[in-house]
Amino acid sequence: ASECTRALEARPTDRRALVVRAQARRALRQLDLARQDLDEALRIDPSVAQAWSTLAAVRHDGKDAAGAETLRRHAKALA
């Protein structure tokens, strides 16, 4: 996560770095921070399927199975 944070300091709109940092934060169980990164990545570019699928995983981890399934379908449609 720290490498992505450094990359984002140089390029704050790097959606790939946002998604990778969100994945790291999810692994660390920092679900709110992961969600914030994904929301920002999707604000920058709502067509990034990986951001949608990672957001689905974060929602699932947060016990929102129905929301997660909706996001998974959306990610699949974009892929």
Side-chain angles (χ1 to χ4, degrees):
S2 62
E3 289 179 23
C4 291
T5 298
R6 283 193 295 276
L8 288 164
E9 287 170 358
R11 294 183 322 272
T13 59
D14 184 340
R15 64 185 191 270
R16 180 174 168 8
L18 284 162
V19 172
V20 171
R21 184 170 71 177
Q23 292 169 335
R25 287 176 163 176
R26 175 182 175 238
L28 295 170
R29 305 296 299 158
Q30 298 172 343
L31 300 182
D32 288 338
L33 292 174
R35 189 175 295 118
Q36 289 173 16
D37 283 344
L38 294 164
D39 288 346
E40 180 63 13
L42 291 167
R43 185 192 66 75
I44 294 165
D45 185 354
S47 68
V48 180
Q50 187 178 17
W52 288 106
S53 62
T54 303
L55 184 55
V58 168
R59 295 282 287 276
H60 184 267
D61 292 350
K63 309 298 183 213
D64 179 8
E69 184 55 34
T70 299
L71 293 171
R72 269 192 211 96
R73 283 194 300 269
H74 187 71
K76 189 174 181 178
L78 290 172

